[in-house]
């Protein structure tokens, strides 16, 4: 998503050992490990809260310090109302925020794709959700012939060659299978500290996206040894789909 290929390569080299060949095969049945972290103090409400971190097979997949960011992604995804497709349940932060917008923005359906069966079972406790259990990169019968008004991607790379490009894989699938309606909205977790790179913007434009913008969302990252994200903000992308392939 950024143009600094050297930085991307260095990150991939440092993380390669974390992605064994059988990671995706084991992911679906792995029991999530939810741990409590330290207290986090911030200058806005809530002024103090305890971090809650979800790990799967040793990978940190979600922390509740990301809540302000998830709120913004949910707000973006519901701007058209209608039918919403969400990928990656995690702790359900974005999922619950989308549901909070359901009535005000006339959300009709809310579909969540989740590979891990334990997280999928947790998501099914909300009867408003359609939970699709499976791998979004494969064939999902539940998506055949459907189109959505918005898509929110917050998945996790499960193969070495998906590092830093798992969102790209999803976006390509979204367009190829015609899952997004004309004027539909795409938003996603952006693993970028600067604005989206020109190559990535070109990739989106070539697929039929226009009006590609970002909003900066302030967060308070935890101060722990394993914490990778150091910045006090995330970028929330907003891309409109004019039609493509």
């Amino acid at each position: 998503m950024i143009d600094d290929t050297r930085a991307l390569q260095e990150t991939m080299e440092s993380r390669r050992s974390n992605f064994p060949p059988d990671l995706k095969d084991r992911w679906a049945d792995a029991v999530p490990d939810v741990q409590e972290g330290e207290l986090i103090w911030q200058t806005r409400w809530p002024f103090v809260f305890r971090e809650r971190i979800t790990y799967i097979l040793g990978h940190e997949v979600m922390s509740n310090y990301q809540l302000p960011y998830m709120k913004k992604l949910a707000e973006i995804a519901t701007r058209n109302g209608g039918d919403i497709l969400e990928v990656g349940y995690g702790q359900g932060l974005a999922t619950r925020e989308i549901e909070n917008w359901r009535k005000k923005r006339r959300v009709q359906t809310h579909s969540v794709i989740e590979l891990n069966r334990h997280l999928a079972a947790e998501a099914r406790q909300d009867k408003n959700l359609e939970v699709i259990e499976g791998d979004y990169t494969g064939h999902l019968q539940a998506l055949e012939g459907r189109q959505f008004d918005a898509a929110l991607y917050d998945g996790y790379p499960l193969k070495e060659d998906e590092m830093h490009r798992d969102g790209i894989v999803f976006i390509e699938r979204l367009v190829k299978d015609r899952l997004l309606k004309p004027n539909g909205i795409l938003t996603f977790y952006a693993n970028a500290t600067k604005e989206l790179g020109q190559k990535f913007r070109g990739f989106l434009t070539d697929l039929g996206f226009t009006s590609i913008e970002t909003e900066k969302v302030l967060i308070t990252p935890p101060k722990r040894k394993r914490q990778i994200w150091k910045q006090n903000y995330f970028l929330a992308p907003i891309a409109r789909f004019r039609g493509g392939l």
Side-chain angles (χ1 to χ4, degrees), residues 84-87 111-113 130-148 170 173-174 177-180:
I84 313 296
L85 176 63
E86 179 185 0
V87 177
S111 304
V112 178
I113 300 176
E130 175 195 20
V131 180
I132 303 168
E133 190 173 329
D135 178 7
Y136 71 87
T137 65
H139 175 73
L140 294 174
Q141 190 173 6
L143 297 180
E144 284 186 359
R146 298 175 62 179
Q147 286 192 310
F148 296 87
F170 169 71
R173 171 85 193 281
L174 190 71
D177 290 359
R178 303 181 186 277
L179 294 175
L180 199 58

Side-chain angles (χ1 to χ4, degrees), residues 39-49 64-65 68 218-221:
L39 291 175
I40 296 179
W41 300 80
Q42 57 184 13
T43 58
R44 56 192 177 279
W45 179 262
F47 299 110
V48 60
F49 64 95
N64 61 347
Y65 84 85
L218 296 178
I219 52 96
T220 304

Side-chain angles (χ1 to χ4, degrees), residues 17 24 54 58 84 93 95 173 178 182 233 238:
S17 61
K24 181 175 285 190
T54 299
I84 313 296
L93 302 181
T95 305
R173 171 85 193 281
R178 303 181 186 277
Y233 65 89
I238 312 157

Side-chain angles (χ1 to χ4, degrees), residues 100-191:
N100 287 341
W101 284 106
R102 178 180 282 271
K103 185 175 182 180
K104 185 174 183 179
R105 292 196 167 166
R106 298 183 181 179
V107 173
Q108 300 299 314
T109 67
H110 181 186
S111 304
V112 178
I113 300 176
E114 173 55 53
L115 176 59
N116 182 271
R117 67 181 180 88
H118 303 283
L119 295 183
E122 181 180 324
R124 288 193 185 97
Q125 295 179 21
D126 187 332
K127 302 304 180 183
N128 286 325
L129 301 179
E130 175 195 20
V131 180
I132 303 168
E133 190 173 329
D135 178 7
Y136 71 87
T137 65
H139 175 73
L140 294 174
Q141 190 173 6
L143 297 180
E144 284 186 359
R146 298 175 62 179
Q147 286 192 310
F148 296 87
D149 294 277
L152 189 164
Y153 178 81
D154 187 25
Y156 191 85
L158 296 177
K159 295 171 62 178
E160 181 181 321
D161 61 1
E162 290 178 359
M163 279 192 288
H164 284 301
R165 69 177 310 273
D166 55 307
I168 291 175
V169 174
F170 169 71
I171 295 168
E172 288 176 330
R173 171 85 193 281
L174 190 71
V175 174
K176 179 182 177 181
D177 290 359
R178 303 181 186 277
L179 294 175
L180 199 58
K181 297 177 183 178
N183 200 41
I185 296 173
L186 167 67
T187 190
F188 49 90
Y189 168 75
N191 188 16

